[in-house]
Structures are given as structure tokens and as C-alpha cells.
Amino acid sequence: MTDQDVVNLIEEFHMPLHVRRHCVTVANFAMELAQKISRNGIKIDMDLLRHSALLHDLVRVVDFRELKPETWKDPSTEEDKKIWLELRKKYAGLHHAEAGARILEERGFAKEAQLVRSHRFLQIEKGLTTWEEKLLYYADKRTKHDAVVSLKERLLDGRKRNEPETLESEHAKKLDEKVFALEREILLAACSV
């Protein structure tokens, strides 16, 4: 995958501007961590990580609770809306990570597809194996819209917006513990020796 492939995909699927800003923030934060970790002798595929981070929410529109671009601060065109409605219809019932991964696989970008697929919140239950997976997952979980915030703030915000019924559940607490353990692993690896 090249940088131009990333640009082409973002344009082809009409990624909303606020989602683009989120993806850029995630990519920048993931790369900052990756550079620190790689200085400590851990090998990370920087291009794979950056490209996957920029595309991780390629078709985020497919699982928005409601598609109301008129309420967004950024303008959208009739063509944008048409594409987004087609995507929602084509990938109805799929999580945006799975839909995005399928698109990338169809285009021959299997490695990027795997990373995009693994950024889904519940992936933490199954585990993350590569540094690229861990960094994309973590950077996304630290990025609220287009700002890097504390993990606690981001997890609470995400749960309120996406699954308010799980706010105080035991399952949610166990998931959060795993995410905080991932944070400790990443921060330890990023520390200078």
C-alpha cells in the first residue's frame, strides 16, 4: 500500500471530514508511540501502522446510529450522502471495522485489513498479537473525536455514546482492565532504557 492508495480510498468512500480528523489524530499518536518503542529495539512496520490508522474508520458511516450529516459542523454534498447511504445498505448489520477490512481485502491489502479489523473494542477479549495491532487499538481508544485524552475519559465517553447500558457492568470492568493492561505494556515499551 502507498500513501496515494490511502488518499484514493478516503476519497472513493467519501470519509466524512470529522472522521478524517479522528483518523489523522489516531495515526499521529500511534506513530509517536511506535517511534519511541522502536528506539528501544522493537521492530514495528511504520508504513503498515500509519496506513492502517489512517483507514481504520474508512467506512465508519455504516454503523452510525443515525446518519444526519446536516447536524455535523462540516459540510457534505449530495454525492457524499448518496455514497454513505449505499454503504449503509451494502454493509447493514456489520461493524465498520469488519466492513472496512473486507474492502481492504478485496483491494489486496490483507495486512492493513487485519489491523483495521482488530481495532474493534471487543478485540481486547481475544487479544492483540502484533505491535501494530496493539498501537492502532490503543491510539484509537485514547482518541476522542480528534483529541488525545486519558484512557479513562475515552472509555467512559465511548460507553456512554455506544453502549450506555453497560456503564457499570462487570463485563465492562473486565474489558477496561484489559485495556488498561495494554496501556501499561505500551507505556513500558515506550520508556527509554
Side-chain angles (χ1 to χ4, degrees), residues 80-141:
D80 291 333
K81 294 173 195 172
K82 179 180 173 255
I83 297 292
W84 297 334
L85 288 171
E86 288 171 2
L87 288 168
R88 287 171 69 85
K89 183 178 179 182
K90 181 174 182 175
Y91 297 105
L94 278 185
H95 188 275
H96 69 273
E98 181 60 32
R102 288 182 185 185
I103 289 166
L104 292 171
E105 285 171 341
E106 289 166 5
R107 305 297 172 89
F109 303 121
K111 290 179 181 179
E112 292 81 1
Q114 176 54 37
L115 260 67
V116 166
R117 184 175 279 119
S118 69
H119 91 274
R120 187 174 182 167
F121 183 73
L122 292 178
Q123 182 66 35
I124 198 72
E125 284 184 306
K126 296 176 186 172
L128 300 155
T129 54
T130 69
W131 277 106
E132 294 84 4
E133 285 177 338
K134 291 174 184 182
L135 289 168
L136 173 55
Y137 182 94
Y138 177 69
D140 184 45
K141 302 313 166 266

Side-chain angles (χ1 to χ4, degrees), residues 2-179:
T2 66
D3 290 350
Q4 190 59 53
D5 291 326
V6 172
V7 170
N8 292 346
L9 285 162
I10 288 169
E11 290 176 1
E12 178 183 348
F13 290 93
H14 294 243
M15 187 190 287
L17 294 176
H18 69 283
V19 176
R20 292 180 197 199
R21 286 191 298 271
H22 168 77
C23 289
V24 166
T25 303
V26 168
N28 288 341
F29 185 49
M31 293 306 293
E32 179 185 327
L33 292 168
Q35 288 163 358
K36 288 177 181 178
I37 291 170
S38 69
R39 283 196 289 266
N40 289 326
I42 297 171
K43 184 162 175 32
I44 296 171
D45 186 331
M46 299 293 188
D47 286 336
L48 174 63
L49 177 59
R50 185 170 43 82
H51 293 153
S52 300
L54 290 169
L55 295 173
H56 79 277
D57 281 348
L58 177 63
V59 289
R60 182 65 180 89
V61 296
V62 303
D63 58 7
F64 281 163
R65 281 193 184 184
E66 297 178 310
L67 185 63
K68 291 187 172 180
E70 65 278 2
T71 65
W72 303 345
K73 70 178 180 180
D74 299 309
S76 55
T77 66
E78 288 305 313
E79 184 179 356
D80 291 333
K81 294 173 195 172
K82 179 180 173 255
I83 297 292
W84 297 334
L85 288 171
E86 288 171 2
L87 288 168
R88 287 171 69 85
K89 183 178 179 182
K90 181 174 182 175
Y91 297 105
L94 278 185
H95 188 275
H96 69 273
E98 181 60 32
R102 288 182 185 185
I103 289 166
L104 292 171
E105 285 171 341
E106 289 166 5
R107 305 297 172 89
F109 303 121
K111 290 179 181 179
E112 292 81 1
Q114 176 54 37
L115 260 67
V116 166
R117 184 175 279 119
S118 69
H119 91 274
R120 187 174 182 167
F121 183 73
L122 292 178
Q123 182 66 35
I124 198 72
E125 284 184 306
K126 296 176 186 172
L128 300 155
T129 54
T130 69
W131 277 106
E132 294 84 4
E133 285 177 338
K134 291 174 184 182
L135 289 168
L136 173 55
Y137 182 94
Y138 177 69
D140 184 45
K141 302 313 166 266
R142 284 282 308 273
T143 304
K144 179 179 174 183
H145 307 297
D146 59 354
V148 176
V149 298
S150 74
L151 187 55
K152 183 177 180 179
E153 178 183 341
R154 177 64 168 91
L155 292 175
L156 182 60
D157 174 69
R159 198 154 280 125
K160 282 180 180 175
R161 284 188 294 119
N162 301 316
E163 298 180 39
E165 69 281 359
T166 67
L167 272 174
E168 294 298 321
S169 75
E170 282 304 310
H171 185 239
K173 288 177 187 172
K174 287 181 180 175
L175 291 173
D176 288 358
E177 286 172 14
K178 289 178 182 267
V179 181

